Amino acid sequence: MAEKTVSKHLINLEKQFAPSNPVLQKAAKVFHELDQLEYDMGLIEQEETTARKSSWWPIISTLGGHSSAKNDFINRYLGTQLHSTSHKFTVHQYTHQSTSATLPGTALDADHRLPFYQISRSIEQIAKGEGDKINAYLELLTVNSEKLRGKLLIDTPVLSGSSANKVNALLNRHVIDMSDLVLVFCDLFDAESELIDDTIKTIIEYQDSNKFLFIIDHSEISLEPRKINEIIISWQRRLTELGINTGQFVVLTDSGDTSMIDLRIENLDNDRSYRVLSTLEKSIRHIDDVIIPEVENALTLWKDRANTSILIVLGFLVSLVLFAEISIGVLDLFFDPIIGPIILLILIAILTPLHLIISRIHAKLIVNKLHERQKRLNLTENLAGLFEKSLTFWRILLPIKDPVGKNKKTRNHLTQLIEQSKDLVQTLNDQFSHYQTDDLSSYTSPANSNDSIQ
């Protein structure tokens, strides 16, 4: 078993979280154990890591309609006057420089530390040729605002007829999936139904994640608490009719009170930690639930095709023997104590390399299918790598259809990794409260950390 070097990404993560977040520092170590297992199975290369599946930044995102409520809130909250492009997904990142800079979408697509890493591959999968046009969909905006230090804010484009396409639907779903907090401005639901159907479906799918905060903008007027409560109840009824049953509501008034939003944002470090640990457990379970079954199916198909081909060859040879028997009589030679074994050895010497050649040809065809399957499932693991590692000499000759790694040892290792990830969740829970013999201790909030992704 070759030892896999720790990726630079994981080394930087461990250094980053060592002083501020020991849970995520330990999570980085578990990710490396998972990397070693996947490396042994041929699923990843030396410098790759499964930790790149999730952004380690705390992420806020915004969804809104045609009104200026969303952009006004962002400028007011960050204390800046930004002019982000309304038709692109804009990632706002902190900078210590006094002036903002707008970077192209390729900066996000190429940087594994940021949340749109290699998103062009997914875009290309659903819309041929659009993967090369990443700059038309994404941009990175650096902002000098302390509110952004250690976190990212993703502003989604305003929905319109021109933006209602497969790519924007994919990016919207991607943003909601990876966000720790989604600020949904309720003017979104005033748009035409065909423009927001996909967004509503995604919100419904993720509504139990407790990441949605619905914002009703009345920042131009003053409202009494009773009226605010009536507005919230009215919106709750309206969203329930759409199938959205959970989520907090905030009414913005001329008082400028954003305390509930501030409280949610202050808790982003914890939300991010739970999200990363969830990604870790999913990645572990994916090996047994998705990756091994996919490769096992490919190996079964490959074995069936190779065996069928060699049976056709054998059928052809049997036909030749029967023809020779009818013509000149050769079957007696097969039962000769000296010539018979020699003929058998010659047949084995011919059929064994022929079987290997035929198997390799079919394997190449299966590898191409696995590459397509990997893209369709949006997997970072190399399915073809595990498949090819399972094509050893004896595995080709013998009726073995299980991929490398499908054994009790690997399953026990995966179980241990899952238990480690659960222990980290428990440790994270214990930062808030822990059980004592007599009673529950008082709430203890973990220290907030200012992240700086290396």
Side-chain angles (χ1 to χ4, degrees), residues 73-112:
F73 170 81
I74 292 173
N75 285 328
R76 190 166 60 247
Y77 190 80
L78 297 181
T80 58
Q81 284 298 318
L82 302 174
H83 302 285
S84 57
T85 309
S86 62
H87 65 281
K88 293 184 182 181
F89 289 79
T90 304
V91 177
H92 299 77
Q93 180 181 342
Y94 170 80
T95 180
H96 64 277
Q97 298 176 353
S98 58
T99 57
S100 297
T102 302
L103 306 180
T106 49
L108 293 164
D109 189 59
D111 193 334
H112 60 76

Side-chain angles (χ1 to χ4, degrees), residues 181-347:
L181 174 62
V182 183
L183 304 178
V184 184
F185 289 80
C186 287
D187 64 330
L188 169 75
F189 302 103
D190 293 328
E192 297 176 15
S193 61
E194 61 267 19
L195 298 180
I196 61 173
D197 279 348
D198 284 336
T199 302
I200 290 175
K201 288 177 182 177
T202 306
I203 291 175
I204 292 172
E205 181 180 346
Y206 287 91
Q207 65 178 326
D208 293 331
S209 62
N210 193 36
K211 65 172 65 182
F212 295 103
L213 189 60
F214 297 97
I215 299 178
I216 308 158
D217 182 56
H218 288 298
S219 55
E220 73 286 353
I221 59 176
S222 177
L223 294 171
E224 296 179 356
R226 181 180 59 82
K227 184 62 177 177
I228 289 175
N229 191 49
E230 290 176 359
I231 292 172
I232 289 176
I233 291 173
S234 175
W235 271 102
Q236 284 176 330
R237 289 172 179 168
R238 181 174 174 183
L239 296 190
T240 298
E241 291 175 358
L242 297 174
I244 301 172
N245 304 306
T246 63
Q248 290 178 289
F249 287 79
V250 174
V251 178
L252 297 180
T253 67
D254 63 354
S255 68
D257 180 21
T258 59
S259 57
M260 185 179 289
I261 300 174
D262 294 334
L263 183 62
R264 289 295 302 269
I265 291 177
E266 286 173 8
N267 198 49
L268 276 181
D269 285 338
N270 303 316
D271 294 334
R272 176 271 312 273
S273 297
Y274 282 109
R275 172 172 53 80
V276 170
L277 293 179
S278 175
T279 301
L280 171 58
E281 185 172 345
K282 286 179 182 177
S283 298
I284 298 168
R285 293 188 183 279
H286 247 56
I287 293 178
D288 216 14
D289 296 342
V290 179
I291 294 171
I292 288 180
E294 285 289 334
V295 176
E296 188 173 17
N297 290 338
L299 285 169
T300 300
L301 178 62
W302 161 75
K303 203 75 172 177
D304 290 343
R305 289 183 176 182
N307 289 340
T308 300
S309 298
I310 202 67
L311 284 174
I312 292 173
V313 172
L314 283 173
F316 177 73
L317 290 177
V318 169
S319 298
L320 288 178
V321 170
L322 291 175
F323 179 78
E325 170 63 20
I326 294 171
S327 301
I328 57 175
V330 296
L331 285 179
D332 290 340
L333 297 176
F334 286 90
F335 298 101
D336 187 273
I338 298 176
I339 299 177
I342 294 175
I343 294 175
L344 183 61
L345 288 174
I346 292 173
L347 285 174

Side-chain angles (χ1 to χ4, degrees), residues 87 128 177 403 411:
H87 65 281
K128 199 70 174 176
D177 176 57
R411 188 164 281 106

Side-chain angles (χ1 to χ4, degrees), residues 32-45:
H32 176 60
E33 287 190 52
L34 178 60
D35 290 346
Q36 178 67 62
L37 179 61
E38 292 203 355
Y39 176 72
D40 293 338
M41 296 173 70
L43 293 169
I44 61 174
E45 299 296 331

